[in-house]
Amino acid sequence: MDPANGMAAATAKAAANAIDAATAATAEAEFARLTAGLGSSAKQDVVQRAIDETLKLRAGKQPAYHSECVPLLYLLQYQAKQINLVYSVIKRMTLYRRALGRNACGLTTSGGGRLRIIDVGCGALATQFAAALAAADAIEAGERVAAISVASRDNNPSMPALGWKMWKEFKLAVKDDSALASLQEAVERIHADCFERASAPFPEARQDEDCWISAIHALYDDNKSDVRDSLARAFAANPDPDAAFMTTHNSKKSLMRGLGPFDKRLWAEFPQKYEHSVRIPDDYPLRRTSEWWRDLQKELGLLEKRGDGAALQGAGYWRWADAACRLYLRPGKNV
Ligand SMILES: C[S@@+](CC[C@H](N)C(=O)[O-])C[C@H]1O[C@@H](n2cnc3c(N)ncnc32)[C@H](O)[C@@H]1O
């Protein structure tokens, strides 16, 4: 299989099922932890507050990520979509590498290669999951994958902490599925650094490491200057990365412009709309996640209260809202 193409259909479904299982198991354990000792009405309030808070994202604002069940609700609503988005961006890099004649990145290696990913505003580690999917494609295509280390930064530690719990569940789910041998190998190639607050110094990629800098849906009107500052520090530590990419909602794409130390002509800007060939199908269900969420809403009487659970309509699928992406690939190396 061509590594620029998406996964074989059977592998994509098995990978999607593993992410679904990991999301549901993480959500269940996290909800039990956060609401231990609470009665039904208090649980309902906590969930309702988190629903209202995450709805702010639809208005282009940041929710209070540090608060109660907000990271959990983020995971339920957005994690699969964001993984799919970053996966498609990474796959795009492979296509662009060919079109632009640039060295894409270093996901694959002829032997002994290392890749360092610096993820600014990492949230629940969507980029790390997506790198695993893209690495699995490369392995299926007969390529060797670099040893990947991911330095994730977020100014709300509860988001990567939850992502890390999900990563552990994901590893277990992948291990159990014989259809996912390539993903098992990919996951083993990924080393996640300890998470640091956004203000911590950014690591410098070593001489023998390729480097990506990413910022996926981290930029909002109300945190623009903070994220700019974080990205400026990431680029200052790594002024010559092999690749950089960032995404945001399409209507906010102007926020991404002017970021990064390179001439603007070196950035490709494209909408990430419906690239079916390089992503998990939009309508493939997150069956276990959706079931868990529906059962919880039933148990707490939220379905009756909200009618159809409208706050999470569109959750439980891999489809993302209209996103824009900027991609930089270091010029100069022919492939
Ligand atoms: C919408 S979430 C996206 C998370 C993840 N990249 C994804 O695609 O799922 C935005 C994340 O950016 C983080 N964030 C906001 N401002 C930040 C800053 N100045 N530095 C680092 N992280 C920031 C938030 O805490 C949140 O976890």
Side-chain angles (χ1 to χ4, degrees):
M1 190 184 59
D2 184 332
N5 290 332
M7 290 184 196
T11 314
K13 283 188 179 172
N17 289 341
I19 289 171
D20 179 25
T23 311
T26 307
E28 186 171 354
E30 187 69 356
F31 187 70
R33 183 182 77 81
L34 289 169
T35 60
L38 296 185
S40 178
S41 150
K43 283 184 187 171
Q44 192 194 70
D45 289 347
V46 165
V47 173
Q48 190 59 62
R49 278 199 295 278
I51 290 175
D52 294 341
E53 204 52 46
T54 50
L55 278 174
K56 288 183 183 167
L57 278 167
R58 296 192 190 177
K61 295 189 181 122
Q62 289 193 94
Y65 286 110
H66 58 276
S67 141
E68 296 173 316
C69 286
V70 172
L72 170 55
L73 261 284
Y74 182 87
L75 202 78
L76 289 175
Q77 291 183 82
Y78 292 104
Q79 181 77 337
K81 301 173 205 299
Q82 294 302 107
I83 292 172
N84 218 4
L85 171 61
V86 197
Y87 172 55
S88 117
V89 172
I90 295 173
K91 304 297 289 184
R92 259 286 182 139
M93 283 174 30
T94 315
L95 294 173
Y96 269 57
R97 166 199 191 195
R98 288 190 194 148
L100 302 175
R102 291 180 191 163
N103 180 31
C105 33
L107 181 68
T108 56
T109 171
S110 51
R114 309 179 71 86
L115 170 64
R116 153 89 50 181
I117 303 175
I118 296 174
D119 191 23
V120 178
C122 63
L125 313 182
T127 299
Q128 185 170 311
F129 283 91
L133 297 183
D137 283 353
I139 291 167
E140 281 199 8
E143 299 208 45
R144 283 168 121 180
V145 166
I148 302 168
S149 54
V150 189
S152 298
R153 290 285 187 279
D154 201 289
N155 58 1
N156 285 293
S158 43
M159 290 287 279
L162 190 62
W164 184 241
K165 289 174 187 170
M166 180 174 159
W167 181 252
K168 284 190 188 155
E169 294 287 351
F170 176 61
K171 281 174 105 168
L172 288 177
V174 166
K175 208 166 150 204
D176 284 350
D177 192 335
S178 57
L180 288 177
S182 58
L183 194 52
Q184 274 171 35
E185 193 180 330
V187 160
E188 292 306 322
R189 303 291 291 159
I190 295 183
H191 168 79
D193 289 2
C194 287
F195 307 113
E196 304 275 3
R197 283 196 159 261
S199 55
F202 281 91
E204 277 174 46
R206 296 178 350 197
Q207 280 286 324
D208 64 342
E209 282 177 328
D210 286 310
C211 176
W212 300 353
I213 296 177
S214 69
I216 302 298
H217 274 53
L219 274 161
Y220 291 84
D221 288 319
D222 53 359
N223 71 351
K224 198 169 63 178
S225 60
D226 280 356
V227 173
R228 277 171 185 265
D229 174 58
S230 297
L231 272 168
R233 288 187 299 108
F235 283 115
N238 299 280
D240 195 19
D242 295 82
F245 47 89
M246 48 189 85
T247 65
T248 188
H249 190 274
N250 211 22
S251 65
K252 299 280 175 195
K253 64 183 172 199
S254 59
L255 290 177
M256 299 190 293
R257 296 191 182 135
L259 291 175
F262 329 111
D263 185 314
K264 65 176 188 263
R265 284 167 308 176
L266 295 177
W267 288 93
E269 191 171 296
F270 52 90
Q272 285 283 309
K273 271 194 160 174
Y274 296 107
E275 299 195 73
H276 292 290
S277 63
V278 289
R279 55 196 263 196
I280 291 172
D282 280 348
D283 53 358
Y284 191 68
L286 283 156
R287 191 178 52 76
R288 291 170 70 170
T289 305
S290 306
E291 265 172 28
W292 179 80
W293 171 240
R294 202 173 43 246
D295 289 350
L296 180 72
Q297 288 181 100
K298 263 194 209 154
E299 182 194 319
L300 299 180
L302 283 164
L303 283 180
E304 294 79 46
K305 202 170 162 205
R306 299 196 74 100
D308 57 356
L312 294 195
Q313 249 177 24
Y317 288 100
W318 294 88
R319 177 187 303 113
W320 65 74
D322 200 4
C325 178
R326 291 191 96 211
L327 170 65
Y328 162 86
L329 293 176
R330 186 168 67 190
K333 284 194 203 166
N334 289 326
V335 284

